[in-house]
């Protein structure tokens, strides 16, 4: 399972390199990071909060847009 999580994280990091303002990728990264513990828990939690906050900031406020991100 850890290999799958590491692979998914690497893919999301690659997506963020090419499209750093993609709210859905930030949302997925926050969700993924919530699924496993980091070695330095405080730093790990900060990454979760960073990506979650970034997802909300970048998401479309229009209900037809990315409302699901705001709700979750």
């Amino acid at each position: 399972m850890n290999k799958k999580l590491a692979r998914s994280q690497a893919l999301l990091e690659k997506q963020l390199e090419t499209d750093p303002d993609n709210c859905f990728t930030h949302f997925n990264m926050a969700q993924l990071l919530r699924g496993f513990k980091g070695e330095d828990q405080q730093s790990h939690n900060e990454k979760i909060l960073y990506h979650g906050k970034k997802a909300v900031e970048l998401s479309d406020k229009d209900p037809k847009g990315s409302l699901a991100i705001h709700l979750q």
Side-chain angles (χ1 to χ4, degrees):
M1 189 60 154
N2 284 340
K3 285 183 181 181
K4 182 178 179 180
L5 291 172
R7 180 182 174 276
S8 295
Q9 183 176 1
L11 291 171
L12 288 170
E13 287 171 352
K14 191 179 243 185
Q15 283 181 311
L16 287 172
E17 284 178 19
T18 59
D19 188 6
D21 292 334
N22 187 311
C23 68
F24 194 61
T25 304
H26 281 285
F27 173 77
N28 286 329
M29 180 66 88
Q31 292 293 85
L32 177 78
L33 293 173
R34 288 181 55 226
F36 63 98
K37 303 291 183 193
E39 291 179 19
D40 176 3
Q41 195 58 46
Q42 182 175 350
S43 173
H44 187 76
N45 290 341
E46 288 172 4
K47 289 178 186 176
I48 294 168
L49 290 172
Y50 168 80
H51 288 290
K53 181 180 176 186
K54 197 78 169 159
V56 171
E57 288 173 355
L58 294 170
S59 63
D60 188 352
K61 308 302 187 254
D62 184 340
K64 295 177 188 172
S66 42
L67 181 63
I69 289 174
H70 287 276
L71 294 175
Q72 291 188 29

